[in-house]
Amino acid sequence: MIVNLNIADTLIEGIDCKKPLIMSGPCSAETEEQVMTTARDLAKIGIKIFRAGIWKPRTRPNAFEGVGSEGLAWLKRVKDETGMLTAVEVANVKHVYEALKNNVDILWIGARTSANPFAVQEIADSLKGVNIPVLVKNPVNPDVELWIGALERINAAGITHLAAIHRGFSDYAKGQYRNNPQWTIPIELRRRIPNLQIIVDPSHIAGKRDLIMDLCQHAMDLDFDGLIIESHCDPDHAWSDASQQIQPEHLDYILKNLILRSQSVDNKQSVTLEELRVQIDKLDDEVLKVLEQRMIVAEKIGTFKKENNVTILQSSRWDVLLKQRINIGLAKGLSADFVQKIYSAIHEESIQHQKTVMNK
Ligand code: PEP
Ligand code: MN
């Protein structure tokens, strides 16, 4: 179901919001000098929006938890001296009050906060009657409904300059990324709220600076609207998120090398694109027909198991089947991970069908 939000045409007034919208700045404001040096270097490469964490929601206590309100004066200086707009994270009503009092231009709600409807509602209530852009990060857990709920709460408070930030999801299994991007979730958010801009945060997805460039390109290839990238004048000595921050000149390199592809193609090319899409539609039709057939057979197996009183799941059979399918897939150029995911989903659906038959 499409969710209708009342969203303004321009996300941030006073700046050119054409794609990609770029925001950058340190994970945390640390000292006035660090903030000013980083800001000046960013302004030089044309960045228009400066981000900096003032209050930092750290996973464990006794880590650096942000400089607090003192840093808001530094952000004022950034505005005065560079003309950039400023953005900070707010996690409670006090943060909102302090940020507004100090003329911060843009607020964002962090991933730990957007996972908590009480906190989001309190922030929303404190924003009633204020016309400031608010960016809502995805909750740490991969739950698109919770993300939509947070956006709805802020929008219901009258905030129409609203966008989402995709920063990946916590995962117990540590993979290549600090936070698993699970791109299908922001893609689903786009489907559900088509007029909402989605900005990607490759820094918190990656956790390491080497992965940032590829993630930026991927975000653009998926047609997302902007990037929020952590930068620091001396990243290796940053007080938080050191390994993922990049120097402004590195950011400049990334932005200059981003390939921006257009959504539509000219007429001549689009004929072939149309033809290819027809082929894809036909193939998908076949995929679904085959799956339908497969479920019919699974139900027959269910009937057999019911009559002979055997369990639905026989793990050894499943193990052999999966290994075999992965090998067949590999020979066809499909990755093991992909085949494993597809077969896990097929197997789950198949068990569901067998269960229905057995419990009749
Ligand atoms: C941040 O942007 O510095 C931050 C704390 O991000 P997140 O809420 O995504 O962890
Ligand atoms: Mn950070």
Side-chain angles (χ1 to χ4, degrees), residues 66-236:
V67 289
S69 305
E70 180 194 0
L72 294 170
W74 311 337
L75 295 188
K76 260 192 193 154
R77 223 184 123 193
V78 168
K79 278 173 70 150
D80 291 345
E81 288 188 24
T82 70
M84 277 191 277
L85 300 181
T86 56
V88 301
E89 173 176 349
V90 290
N92 60 37
V93 174
K94 175 183 167 267
H95 298 164
V96 172
Y97 174 79
E98 291 283 320
L100 295 179
K101 195 174 77 181
N102 286 279
N103 298 325
V104 167
D105 303 285
I106 299 155
L107 306 178
W108 85 80
I109 297 181
R112 291 156 199 78
T113 310
S114 52
N116 177 352
F118 288 124
V120 174
Q121 191 58 52
E122 279 181 17
I123 293 171
D125 293 341
S126 74
L127 285 170
K128 281 197 180 126
V130 183
N131 192 12
I132 189 168
V134 178
L135 314 175
V136 180
K137 285 199 166 195
N138 63 261
V140 279
N141 49 326
D143 184 341
V144 76
E145 297 301 327
L146 196 57
W147 197 1
I148 292 173
L151 288 156
E152 284 175 322
R153 287 175 198 279
I154 301 296
N155 193 230
I159 299 289
T160 57
H161 298 279
L162 186 66
I165 299 177
H166 169 50
R167 51 78 78 196
F169 304 90
S170 292
D171 207 336
Y172 188 68
K174 287 283 163 245
Q176 179 189 20
Y177 298 112
R178 176 182 179 190
N179 289 294
N180 187 348
Q182 300 197 32
W183 295 101
T184 48
I185 296 180
I187 290 169
E188 173 63 7
L189 182 70
R190 160 125 308 160
R191 192 185 69 79
R192 298 282 296 279
I193 318 179
N195 56 341
L196 181 76
Q197 290 192 39
I198 303 178
I199 294 165
V200 175
D201 174 347
S203 306
H204 289 90
I205 294 174
K208 328 183 226 327
R209 56 183 78 102
D210 296 356
L211 300 174
I212 290 179
M213 187 162 178
D214 272 359
L215 286 165
C216 289
Q217 187 60 54
H218 196 61
M220 293 300 100
D221 290 343
L222 292 178
D223 204 33
F224 289 117
D225 304 282
L227 299 164
I228 176 168
I229 302 174
E230 286 189 343
S231 58
H232 192 291
C233 53
D234 183 10
D236 284 331

Side-chain angles (χ1 to χ4, degrees), residues 27 51 56 204 230 241 244:
C27 177
R51 63 146 282 156
K56 299 302 299 177
H204 289 90
E230 286 189 343
D241 291 354
Q244 71 193 32

